Amino acid sequence: MTNPIKRLRSILSAKGTIIDMGDFLYNLGENDLISHWEEDDIRSKRNYSEKMDAVFTILLRKNPTSTEEKLIKILEAMEREDIVERWENGSASRGNPSSRRDLLLANEGILKDRLDVEVVSTELLKSGVLSQGDLDEIMTPRERKEKRTVLWAKLLTKIDPRGFEKLLEALTQAKQGDVTEELRSQERSIYKGKPHIGNVLLDSIPSDEDLRRIAPKLKESWHEWESLGRELGLGSDAIDRIKSKTRSHNSERPMRTTYLLLREWKKSSPKDRPSTFRALHEALCNQGMDTSGLIALLCKKNCEDIKECL
């Protein structure tokens, strides 16, 4: 029969599972499963994975039966019945996340239990992910756990590449680096080694017809086209060429200027930074510009896959 402690290690190492390491270590010490010096040594490890490895290096040397009983009590005290249930049912995985939204859903427990809601919400307001109305709604409940639940629900509707990056930055500002690191690791593994039609499309180069369809949808960038151009990697010479072409028509046509910008970008992009749909989406995000038009066009090609990739 499999050692139950090994089975728990498998569960806690599965993608989508994070526990409050500080609380976990404190409870292990209180239940005499690790010594004070062992706790200090584990806390000094660089990251969440190394700490978890160090914990189970110690636990696997102990009596499985008595250790299992103590660990169940610890997890129940931490209100992690979800882990206890999977442990008792012999299920190591709750399913690998396949999108950023899935990733948040998979980590619902830790985010609701651990988010420093005041710091994270304030940082997300500063970065534009949350509005003042969102912040007011989050801060209305008296109980902190309720505030975390409202914030988590808000995040589910706002996760795109930029929003996810800002969430990780906010967690870092809140000194919750272990959560940041685990979410980052899970994000990187979502598409690793998997052929995915959405990623194939995003990494493809738009046709001239695509550019003609995209330009009218980028209204926000029409008068900020130079900033977008520089974000896309265009130099002063390319910017001047576009200005020269627009002047030659004796009238200011912002949509045409944006189209010329996109065409110049496609023509001049180096091999190590190709002019892909993904690169354009990232440039728009970095400039804080509206991406809904671009996403709408991409969704006509393959909506569900694009939503998963963004």
Side-chain angles (χ1 to χ4, degrees):
M1 182 178 293
T2 304
N3 185 321
I5 312 307
K6 287 185 178 180
R7 194 164 69 249
L8 177 61
R9 179 178 184 174
S10 177
I11 292 169
L12 295 180
S13 299
K15 295 173 185 175
T17 303
I18 312 175
I19 62 170
D20 184 332
M21 183 59 75
D23 194 14
F24 189 45
L25 292 177
Y26 171 80
N27 279 285
L28 290 174
E30 287 293 294
N31 284 271
D32 298 320
L33 289 174
I34 58 174
S35 66
H36 290 302
W37 73 265
E38 285 173 331
E39 182 178 348
D40 291 341
D41 179 63
I42 294 168
R43 289 182 185 276
S44 71
K45 302 297 182 184
R46 291 182 303 172
N47 55 48
Y48 183 90
S49 296
E50 288 187 5
K51 290 174 183 177
M52 192 62 73
D53 287 343
V55 165
F56 280 94
T57 297
I58 296 168
L59 296 182
L60 285 167
R61 295 198 297 260
K62 299 183 178 296
N63 180 281
T65 303
S66 59
T67 302
E68 180 181 12
E69 292 173 357
K70 290 181 179 180
L71 286 171
I72 288 175
K73 290 179 180 178
I74 289 171
L75 291 168
E76 288 175 342
M78 293 175 66
E79 297 183 352
R80 295 309 303 266
E81 287 84 357
D82 58 323
I83 294 175
V84 174
E85 182 179 353
R86 285 156 56 202
W87 190 11
E88 292 177 340
N89 292 337
S91 174
S93 175
R94 64 193 300 172
N96 292 339
S98 61
S99 67
R100 291 179 180 87
R101 178 182 171 82
D102 285 350
L103 197 155
L104 287 186
L105 288 168
N107 291 286
E108 177 181 359
I110 189 65
L111 292 173
K112 285 184 178 180
D113 289 342
R114 284 205 57 200
L115 275 180
D116 186 331
V117 66
E118 288 82 6
V119 174
V120 171
S121 298
T122 301
E123 291 296 321
L124 291 175
L125 174 66
K126 291 178 184 177
S127 64
V129 175
L130 296 177
S131 67
Q132 185 61 53
D134 290 329
L135 184 63
D136 293 343
E137 190 175 342
I138 291 164
M139 294 304 171
T140 296
R142 293 185 179 181
E143 295 294 328
R144 178 166 289 186
K145 194 161 186 176
E146 290 180 58
K147 293 178 181 178
R148 289 171 177 156
T149 299
V150 177
L151 172 56
W152 180 78
K154 294 283 184 187
L155 290 174
L156 288 178
T157 69
K158 298 175 183 292
I159 287 304
D160 56 20
R162 178 178 177 275
F164 192 80
E165 286 299 319
K166 295 304 180 184
L167 171 60
L168 298 185
E169 290 174 13
L171 287 165
T172 300
Q173 288 295 320
K175 303 188 186 310
Q176 296 186 287
D178 56 337
V179 180
T180 305
E181 179 187 338
E182 184 62 23
L183 292 176
R184 170 74 73 192
S185 174
Q186 291 179 35
E187 184 202 24
R188 286 172 179 163
S189 69
I190 287 176
Y191 301 114
K192 185 178 180 180
K194 295 181 180 179
H196 194 290
I197 192 168
N199 278 315
V200 172
L201 175 56
L202 284 169
D203 291 329
S204 65
I205 295 174
S207 66
D208 288 344
E209 181 60 30
D210 286 328
L211 298 183
R212 279 191 286 272
R213 292 177 178 176
I214 291 170
K217 298 180 181 296
L218 303 183
K219 292 183 179 180
E220 188 180 359
S221 68
W222 284 359
H223 297 287
E224 301 291 336
W225 69 270
E226 289 188 49
S227 296
L228 177 59
R230 292 190 177 91
E231 184 67 40
L232 288 167
L234 296 183
S236 298
D237 290 346
I239 298 291
D240 289 342
R241 281 196 297 273
I242 296 167
K243 288 180 178 178
S244 176
K245 290 177 181 178
T246 54
R247 281 196 298 267
S248 68
H249 284 77
N250 299 318
S251 64
E252 185 175 344
R253 298 169 60 190
M255 186 178 75
R256 172 176 166 75
T257 303
T258 301
Y259 167 69
L260 293 173
L261 162 68
L262 295 174
R263 196 172 66 175
E264 183 71 30
W265 164 61
K266 178 182 175 182
K267 181 175 69 175
S268 61
S269 293
K271 289 184 178 180
D272 62 346
R273 193 181 178 187
S275 52
T276 63
F277 286 109
R278 190 189 300 277
L280 177 57
H281 183 269
E282 290 177 353
L284 290 168
C285 287
N286 290 340
Q287 288 292 308
M289 296 178 174
D290 184 16
T291 62
S292 59
L294 175 61
I295 293 173
L297 182 140
L298 290 170
C299 278
K300 287 184 179 180
K301 295 175 179 285
N302 199 304
C303 193
E304 291 308 312
D305 288 301
I306 288 299
K307 285 180 178 178
E308 283 194 7
C309 292
L310 297 177

